[in-house]
Amino acid sequence: MSDAANNHLGHDGGTYPDSYYVRLGEDRLVSTLHSQGAWQPGEQHLAPASGLVLAEIERRLPSDKLVSRATFDVLGVIHSGEFTIDVEVIRPGRTIELVAAHMRHGDRTSVTARVWRLQASETEPVAGDEWPTLPPATELPASPFTDRWGGGYIASLEGRQCDDARPGCARSWLRSPYPLVDGETDPPTAAFVKFVDTANGLAVRADPKTTFFANVDLSVHLTRVPEAGWIGFDTKVAFGPTGLGETSSVISDSRGPIGTAAQSLTVRRGRGAV
C-alpha cells in the first residue's frame, strides 16, 4: 500500500482542536489528527469524511425532506490536509430529490456521495421492523478497538462490545465527544453517519496485519432521523474465495434499530500496494 503524506493538523506535534476538521472557508476545510485513518497515517478515515460530506449537503442544500439513503464511493486515498467539498442537486423534486457532493484534493476527487431525500409523512400506525434489538451500551464492557486498529480516528472513539463477538460477527456501540467541524454543531443525520464506516473494523474476520480488506464504498439506509449519542452495530463480515467481501450491519441509536449499512470490500492476502 502506497504511503500518503501526513498533513493532518497535529501530525507534527502541534496543537489541534477537539474536532475532526477545521473550516477554512465556505467550501474549504482541513483535517485534524482525529480524522486519521487506520490503514496509513497520511489518510482520512471514511467515517468522519462521509459524515462531513453529508453535513455539507445538509448545511448548503437545506431541506425539510429526510435522508433515506446516503452512498459514498471512495475513488482513491482520502488524503490528509486541505480539501474542498462541492455540492449539487441532481434530481430536484417537491417530494423526492437526489443530491450529491464531492470531496476534492486539488483536481483529484477522493469521495463522491449521492443522497436520496424524501418527503416526511405520518406513518406511525404502520411503523415496524424485523431487526434484532441490541443490548444497551451501558450493559456492555468497554472495548476501545485501539488494540486492533491504529490511527487518530479510532483513538477518538469510546467503544463497547458484546462478549460473544467472534471473527466476522459482533454487536457493538460507539460514540465520540468530538464534532465534525471545530465550533459547529453536527446536523443530526451527519452526526450519526460519521460513525457508520467503522463497521468494517468491528467484526474483524482476519488479522489486518496479514490481510487487507478495505472497503471501496459505504451505503447507509435509514428509516427515521437518528437520535444523538451512541450508535449501535449488529455486524457480519463475509469474504469470498476470489478477493471480494462485504460487511453488512443493522445500525441502531438509543431508540432501537434505525436502518442498515453495507460496505463492499477488496480482500487481499498480504498487505500489497493499493
Side-chain angles (χ1 to χ4, degrees):
M1 183 167 46
S2 60
D3 292 330
N6 193 343
N7 294 313
H8 295 292
L9 291 180
H11 81 279
D12 57 357
T15 60
Y16 58 100
D18 285 336
S19 65
Y20 296 107
Y21 301 97
V22 172
R23 186 174 301 281
L24 302 176
E26 171 65 12
D27 63 352
R28 192 164 60 95
L29 299 103
V30 61
S31 64
T32 77
L33 199 59
H34 291 308
S35 72
Q36 183 183 50
W39 291 108
Q40 53 184 334
E43 68 180 355
Q44 298 179 43
H45 198 291
L46 179 59
S50 58
L52 178 67
V53 168
L54 182 57
E56 289 297 282
I57 287 175
E58 296 191 78
R59 185 178 71 86
R60 290 153 58 186
L61 296 174
S63 173
D64 58 0
K65 302 178 187 69
L66 307 179
V67 174
S68 170
R69 188 214 70 185
T71 296
F72 307 88
D73 288 309
V74 183
L75 306 184
V77 174
I78 311 172
H79 289 287
S80 59
E82 295 187 23
F83 57 91
T84 59
I85 296 177
D86 56 65
V87 300
E88 61 177 323
V89 177
I90 296 176
R91 191 271 196 197
R94 185 174 59 85
T95 61
I96 297 173
E97 65 182 5
L98 180 64
V99 295
H102 313 275
M103 177 182 283
R104 305 190 193 277
H105 311 262
D107 59 359
R108 182 182 168 279
T109 301
S110 62
V111 179
T112 292
R114 290 166 68 92
V115 179
W116 282 106
R117 300 196 290 194
L118 313 181
Q119 184 183 51
S121 64
E122 176 51 55
T123 54
E124 181 64 32
V126 295
D129 63 69
E130 301 302 321
W131 296 315
T133 300
L134 290 172
T138 53
E139 297 180 4
L140 302 181
S143 181
F145 302 113
T146 51
D147 58 348
R148 67 188 75 161
W149 294 107
Y153 176 70
I154 299 300
S156 77
L157 303 174
E158 178 185 358
R160 296 176 182 270
Q161 192 167 73
C162 292
D163 57 12
D164 61 355
R166 62 184 187 275
C169 184
R171 296 177 294 165
S172 318
W173 289 94
L174 295 175
R175 67 178 178 181
S176 167
Y178 303 148
L180 285 164
V181 181
D182 184 39
E184 299 182 15
T185 300
D186 294 347
T189 303
F192 185 85
V193 168
K194 74 182 182 185
F195 300 113
V196 176
D197 186 66
T198 58
N200 190 38
L202 299 178
V204 173
R205 176 166 286 282
D207 186 345
K209 293 184 177 65
T210 60
T211 303
F212 181 76
F213 50 93
N215 55 298
V216 299
D217 69 355
L218 169 67
S219 186
V220 182
H221 290 254
L222 300 173
T223 57
R224 57 177 170 80
V225 177
E227 299 284 337
W230 290 96
I231 172 173
F233 300 82
D234 187 345
T235 301
K236 294 178 174 59
V237 179
F239 292 168
T242 56
L244 305 182
E246 182 192 21
T247 296
S248 59
S249 303
V250 175
I251 47 179
S252 300
D253 64 8
S254 58
R255 289 174 51 193
I258 190 175
T260 62
Q263 297 155 290
S264 181
L265 313 181
T266 174
V267 185
R268 308 176 197 177
R269 296 298 305 279
R271 295 287 296 276
V274 176

